[in-house]
Every structure is written in structure tokens, then in C-alpha cells.
Amino acid sequence: MKGLNLTTLILLTSVLCLFKVNAQDTIIISKNDTIPFINKYVSSSENYNFGLSSQLTGTSKLNTVSRILIVIDGIPYPDRTTDELDYTTADLNDIAQLAHIPLESIEIVELLDDNASTLLYGSDARNGVLSIITKNHSSNKFHVNYSYRNTFSKQPKGYEMLSGDYYAVLMKDALFNPLQNEHAPYIRAFLYDRTWSEYENFNNNTNWQNAITQSGFKQEHYLSLSGQTNKLGYQLAAGYSKGKGTMMWTSNEDYSIHWNLSYQPIKILTAKFNINYSNIQANSYNTYSNLDLYEGALKKMPNMSIYESEADGTFTSEYFVPTIDALVYDGNYTNPVHYANISSQNDKNKILNPTFNLELTPIKGLKYKLASSIIKKQSDLGLHDLPMNYAYRSSYNEIGAYANYLYKTNTLYLTNAINYYLIQNNSNQLKLSATYSINNRESETDFEAVDYEGNYIKGSNNHTELKNQNITGSVKYTALSRYFVNIGVYTENYKSIKDISKYESTYSGNGYALNAKWAISNETFFKPLVFIDHLSIATSINKHNIPISDAYDEKQQDVCFKTHLQLLNKFSFNVNYFERQLKNQVIDSHYFFKHNILNKGWELNTKIALIDQEDFKIVVFGNLHKNTFQITEANYDLNDGFYHTNGSYLKRGEYDKIYGFNYNGVYQYNDYIEGTQENAPVARDSEGNIILDSNGTPSPMIFAKGVIQYQFLGGDAIYEDINHDGNIDENDIQQIGNARPKITGTGGTSLQYKGWWLGVFFNFRYGNDIVNRARMDLENMYTFNNQTTAVDYRWRKDGDQTDIPRALYNYGYNWLGSTRFVEDGSFFRLKTITLKYQIPEKIISKLHLGHLSLYLTGKNLFTKTDYQGADPDISLNTTWDTYGYDDNYNAAIKQWIFGINVSL
């Protein structure tokens, strides 16, 4: 496949725009609406599978090494977050799972990234707030809504692995090559010896990937009832889902209830009461073991059988478990299918969350708000491993038997807020706000482990308490509908209690925010420019002292500039730029090692309504962004030492730069003969001339002279000798890649014709390098692990011309950190494509329905890339020493989703 260059990327994007296919229903502009300022993601049944970046500005800021705060109906949930989620491509399904609420209970998702109102939640909100607003009653009419989704999932192959026959040949090469010893490869599992009693069990071509994967399937049902009387509004929603994953022995069953009541006895008083309850159950094999099951299946020796064989080669129903004599150690799973079948993991999570809100407006301009929430969460994790005839040890329960973890948390959140308009007229508004919040959290963890006979081995009980108080005040001034200023400050106090040591610590933090905005298009001199609907610029600065302990705190400062332009009611553009400084960021649990970071980035959002007619609408949208990180200061040595080991790359304290050796292929010959065997491991000067020793003999090429003193031979890797001293060492290491994308983006188009919608949402990266450590593991030919089919083209004999070195079991230096495993990570992915049809009103009226629609969505159906790894869309939300590394063996799961939405 040809390289994915910038021209190809632009061409692909242009083609999609020309086809005018849809991305989501919410971006379609109705005849009477203007293009909205991009800050809300409104829920509807069509747009569940489209990225937040199509509706929200600032999503690129969320994809950093810092967490954001999830807030649901004004209540913060610090424990509901994930570092792995890509918020630019995350859809409402991802947000609903993150929030543990029914998918279709979501009304609006908003991003508050630089508003002084985020200070209400203290330092937890320093990186922004993802606010989720749930649905409430919509009208006096009684409504019934039902939705059904059926998802089919498939796990594509990430790597093509060797068959059993080719694997056995590889291993004999790898065992023979180090010392050229013909007796070295005498391991009976590779010899196909018919006289061996285990011959039939090691005479196979087993596809372990197929053996541990299956077609995933999930059904989801959602039912809601809503309405409103004169003073009482209500909504009762329930969701249920059940399915199985793409890995064998995995399944899940979830149900949730969302109950929402609002009562307004008098005009000045409104009370709201919500109850959310979720019960989430997941069953699988023990995923907390030392090796991921899919990774273990890839590496498993493919000549071994899954089931025990009879003497004539007939498989029995019993799993094959090798005896110690026949065992070839290749990881923890001697038989991954056997292990996954006999181990178990039961993960049960229950969440009960009642909330109460009260709003009182005793006099004009004064509003009092009370919000309270109780969160009771219980997680019950049970792990079970049956006895096996070979050594296995779980890294999680440490005993390989039975273990149970019971984790309980009780959280109380209470806030009082007062808003008062000191000035409120057509020209000026001055609003004063103050809040007082408390957040108390108690957590308890019980652990117990027993052996196979049920005898108690060990256990523990931990109890912690965290109490937080937050006081905030803000002033917001608006003048002439064109000048806006918002200033906010907060202070917070923490108390932490641990019952094991009875240690109690108190610490505090504070911060402020300043926002200013100028709506230029509202100026009188702008009136003649009728083609400009809106033009504004805004700036903000936030500063936080973040409490970490009673003796230590971090500091963060954010500066942001924004501009928004809207033309002819068809074109909308947002450009954002931000700088974030982190000081004294802790990188270890003991607070010993810390550094300062400068994070800068920009983002461009655009939305264009190409056609806006009653029955025919086309909208194109896109998002481009880039983030950069720099460690500006540290109290520890940022330069990694070179330890003369295979597989390691140097980072030298930089997020993006990758350091290693230049890989120039494979030495074709073992001995140098001028004119006929030039490509041999001998030293050359800067002119390419052979360096001779004192005896007039060509000097050999050495690795780590004086330390390792390894002499390269024919079939070994060629590393560039930068200083031409005949010695490959740290002096030959240089920058060989940059993991920072030159540009990252998402986009799509939306087409509506009468009741039909067709849509696409895509994402891409361009110009970043990836250290493909997974491929390195599957092509180093250094262990008993199975390898990819690429090693079929390895060097085998003198004169072979290839880029794949010879196989060397536990020997040599053919997979040093080099350009061999650094790849271009650019890609273009068709993330989702959706087709929806809304049944015409004349038909649904005969069926006595209010609404009926059907849709079909495909996810991750197409990716264009030159990257050889399982998935080029790796997480970039990592620490500096793992940034740009890919240890993933799984390709992105493909999904097909069919849905029905109906209402009465």
C-alpha cells in the first residue's frame, strides 16, 4: 500500500465531503435556526455514534495526561473518569458508560473548560468539566418512548502468525544459530518425532486466535415514561442490556433505572428529585493474570493442540495440558484455552444515587439553590483459578486459587449557592454568586483469599475517609450585550483519614479564574456588515494550587484565547489556543520525583451548511487540533542510561522525541571478500573504506566494545556506526522519530433528504511516529513465542538478501531499539457510518404512534494506513516515558448496530 501522505489525507477528506454524507442529525440546521455556537452536544437517537468533537469545542484539551471532572445534573463524580478515553472521537455511548446512566436519559453534554463556574468544584475541575444533563418531562402530554439496539461485534486479526509447521522450523533455526550446534535444537516439541508419546499433541497447526475469540453480540432495551401535570413533572426511564464480548467466556448483563421528578408548588419555588440505580455485571476468565489472553494466544506455540490427542491423532474432549517433561515455557498460559475455560472472574457493580435540588427565588434578581446527592457504590470482584498440572500464578490474587474483593464507597455531596443580580436592565447586568460545598467520601475494601480446599490464607480490611469543603465566589458583568467579564475565586480544604495508621492529614488549595469576551458583531459599526452574523473574541486565565498532601501541592495555570465567526447563517468557525503550565507535578507515589510541564495547543472547529432547504439539507463539519508537551524542569535525571539491552529506546525527558539506532538491514555475508562479499560485518571509515587492524585484517564490527564485546556475524542486524569506530554503542544513538502528530482531526458530513439520513464520521492523524513494541515482541525471534509471518523472510544462510535478521534464541542483539520498529503512525479511519429512516407521519398516524425510525450503523469499518501494528489509533494520553509506544496486540473491533426508536 502506498504511503499515507498529506495529499492522500486531503483527498480522502475531500471525497467524503463531496459525497455529502451525514455525520449526525443534530448538526442539521433547520430553516428557522442559526448555526449554534459549538458548545453543546444534544442527544438524539441518530447521533449516538458520532464524536463529541463535531459539537464541542475544546475536546482536544481533554486528551492530555490530566483528568477532567464528570458532572451529572450539577453533581460532581470524580471517580467516573478514564485516562484512556479519546474525547474527540468518544460518542454518547462512551459517555453513558462513563456516567453509569441509561444512554437515552442523556439530554445534553456540555464542555466547560475555562468558565469561572467550574471553580464551583475546586481543583477537581482544573482541567475542565464535562457536564451531562439528563432528560426531564417535556410537556403536559404523556409520552412513551422505546428504543432497541442490536450490536454485532467482530475482532479482526491484528497480526498474521506462523502456522505450527513454520513455527517448528523457526525454533530449530533459533536454537541452532547461536553456537551453530546441531544438538542445540533437540527439543522434542519441535522435532515431529513419531516415537515420542506426545507426538500427536505437537503435530498441529492450531489457530489460537480463533480459539479464544467469538462473535460479540449485545441487545439493549430502553423504555421511558414522561409527562407533566399542573405542578408535577415526571420521567421514569429504564434500560437493560445483555450480551457477550468478542473474547470467549466473556459476557455482561446491565440494567439501570432513572427516575426524575420536579415539583413547583408556587412560582418562586421548584424542587427536583432524581434517583439513579445501576446494576452492572460482567463475567469472564481471570483478566488480572500476568498476561493478556489475546496476547497469550498470539504468542502460543501453534504446533501444540488444544485438546488431548489419541495415538491415532483423534482429538478427545479433554484439554491438553503438557507434562513437565514436554513443557516448553512460553509464558504463563501453557494452554490459554484451558486456562480461560477453568478460571473465572465475576465483577458486580451496584450504584444507588438519589439527588435533590431546590431552587428558590424569594425576590426579583435573587436565587438560592440547594443541591444534595448521596452515592452508594459497591463493587464485588471474585477471582477463581482451578488447580492445574503446571505452574501458574495470578499477579492479582497472588495465590492462584480463590480471592474476593469487596469495595464500598459512600459519598455525600451538598452545595448551597446564591445568585444575586445587583444590576439588571437592558444595558447592564451585574451578577454576584457565592457557593459553599461539602463532599465527604468514605471507602472500605475487604479482601480475602483461600486455597483450593477453602482454607483461609490471608485477608485485609482498609477504611479511608476524605472530607472536602469548597467556598467560591464570582462576579459576572455584562455591558451592552457586547462586553462580558467573569471573575471567580475559590478555596478548598481537605481532611484525609486512614484507619490502618490512624493517620489524619489536612491540606488546602485555592484558585481563581478570569474570563473576558467581546462580541464585536454587536458593535454599532458592525451593522452594515450584514453577512457577518456573529464575531467574538474571548480570553481566560485560570490558576490553581492543587493539594496533594499536607506538606505538598502542585500548581497549574491555564491561558486560553478563543474566537468565533459565523457568516451568512451558513458558516461557523471557532479557533482556540491554550497554554497550560504544570509545576511540581508528582510522578511517583512518594512525592520524591516531580517535574514542570508546558502544554500548548490549538484547535479549529468549522461547520458549513451547504444546502438548507426544508426537505434537503447538507452540512459539513471538521475539527483540527494539535497539542505539544515539554518538560521544562525536573528534580531528577531526565536522560535514560543505555544498558546494552535489546528492545529499549531512550526518551531523554522529552514527550515526543524517540532516540535509538539507525537500522540498515542485515549483513548478507559472514566473511568479507572484496568485490564479492562486501556486505559483511566489518568496520568502515567515513569514506566507506575498510578499517584494518595491526595485522592488516579487516576489523570486525563490535557491539559494546569492552562491555558486552559481541561480534556481529552474517545474518545479524546492521546498525549505523555514526562515528565510524567499529563499535556500536551509545555514541551511535540519535533521534530517530517524533511521536507527536503534526495534525490530528475529525470530521464528517450530514445529508438529509425528507425522512432519510445518511452520515459519516471520521478521524485521522498525520505525521507521528510509533514505537511498535508489540511487533518487536512478535518478530524478535528471541524466545519461544510464536512470531508473525514476516519472519519467514529471515536470513538463513550466507548470501541471503533480506531485511529480517537471523533467528537467535536468547542470544544476540538483533532487536536493539532502532528504526526497525519505529513506524509512521499516520492513518485515516472511517469511524462510523449511519443510515436512518424516519417513517412518514401519514403512516405512523395510522399506527397511532408519535414517532417511528430505524437506523443502521457501522463502526471502524475502514482504516487506511501504512502502520504494521494492530491499530494505529493508539492512546496519546500517557506519561512522557511511554508516549508514542504501542504495546497493543488487538485490532479495533468492528461493529454493526441496528436500532429502532418508537414513541406514543
Side-chain angles (χ1 to χ4, degrees), residues 408-577:
K408 297 179 181 179
T409 60
N410 294 312
T411 304
L412 170 65
Y413 178 81
L414 178 67
T415 184
N416 294 271
I418 297 177
N419 298 314
Y420 178 61
Y421 282 93
L422 189 62
I423 302 174
Q424 190 175 23
N425 54 51
N426 294 333
S427 300
N428 300 280
Q429 290 184 351
L430 180 61
K431 179 183 175 182
L432 308 178
S433 301
T435 64
Y436 171 70
S437 303
I438 61 173
N439 193 338
N440 295 340
R441 180 177 180 178
E442 296 184 11
S443 62
E444 182 176 359
T445 303
D446 288 310
F447 163 69
E448 184 180 60
V450 299
D451 63 16
Y452 298 125
E453 286 75 34
N455 300 314
Y456 175 85
I457 296 178
K458 64 178 180 179
S460 63
N461 177 269
N462 297 321
H463 181 86
T464 60
E465 295 182 38
L466 181 63
K467 300 181 179 181
N468 168 247
Q469 297 184 68
N470 182 60
I471 301 175
T472 182
S474 65
V475 178
K476 184 176 182 179
Y477 179 66
T478 304
L480 304 175
S481 299
R482 65 191 74 156
Y483 311 113
F484 308 87
V485 178
N486 194 1
I487 302 174
V489 297
Y490 79 90
T491 181
E492 59 186 350
N493 292 279
Y494 284 87
K495 178 183 287 187
S496 176
I497 304 173
K498 296 183 178 180
D499 68 345
I500 296 179
S501 60
K502 301 299 182 182
Y503 176 74
E504 179 177 318
S505 61
T506 58
Y507 40 98
S508 60
N510 55 72
Y512 69 84
L514 171 62
N515 315 119
K517 179 180 176 180
W518 179 25
I520 305 174
S521 55
N522 289 344
E523 296 285 1
T524 55
F525 62 79
F526 239 79
K527 290 183 178 180
L529 304 176
V530 294
F531 62 93
I532 298 180
D533 305 314
H534 180 85
L535 175 62
S536 64
I537 56 175
T539 185
S540 66
I541 181 171
N542 300 327
K543 192 168 185 177
H544 306 268
N545 288 334
I546 307 158
I548 302 298
S549 70
D550 52 356
Y552 176 75
D553 64 349
E554 297 179 351
K555 300 181 186 298
Q556 177 174 318
Q557 178 175 294
D558 289 12
V559 178
C560 185
F561 300 93
K562 295 184 176 183
T563 181
H564 176 216
L565 174 64
Q566 180 175 308
L567 304 172
L568 300 174
N569 201 27
K570 293 181 179 293
F571 306 91
S572 181
F573 304 93
N574 290 81
V575 179
N576 302 333
Y577 173 81

Side-chain angles (χ1 to χ4, degrees), residues 101-155:
I101 57 177
L103 171 64
E104 297 207 25
S105 289
I106 297 177
E107 179 73 26
I108 295 173
V109 176
E110 295 182 278
L111 175 59
L112 310 174
D113 61 339
D114 57 4
N115 195 296
S117 62
T118 62
L119 297 182
L120 172 66
Y121 310 109
S123 60
D124 285 338
R126 62 187 180 274
N127 299 311
V129 171
L130 193 68
S131 172
I132 302 171
I133 301 172
T134 60
K135 291 180 180 179
N136 206 332
H137 53 87
S138 55
S139 67
N140 291 332
K141 184 179 178 181
F142 178 70
H143 286 269
V144 179
N145 294 279
Y146 170 74
S147 297
Y148 169 77
R149 285 162 52 94
N150 192 332
T151 303
F152 173 79
S153 304
K154 181 177 177 57
Q155 176 68 65

Side-chain angles (χ1 to χ4, degrees), residues 177-178 663-670 679-681 701 703 710-719 795-796 802-808 811-815 820:
N177 284 336
Y663 177 78
N664 291 331
V666 175
Y667 289 112
Q668 190 175 359
Y669 301 98
N670 190 61
N679 188 5
M701 184 64 72
F703 173 69
Y710 175 82
Q711 181 174 330
F712 290 98
L713 300 175
D716 282 343
I718 302 174
Y719 301 108
W795 188 96
R796 305 190 192 207
T802 178
D803 287 329
I804 307 296
R806 59 180 179 150
L808 294 170
Y811 187 79
Y813 294 91
N814 283 340
W815 53 290
R820 179 184 173 191

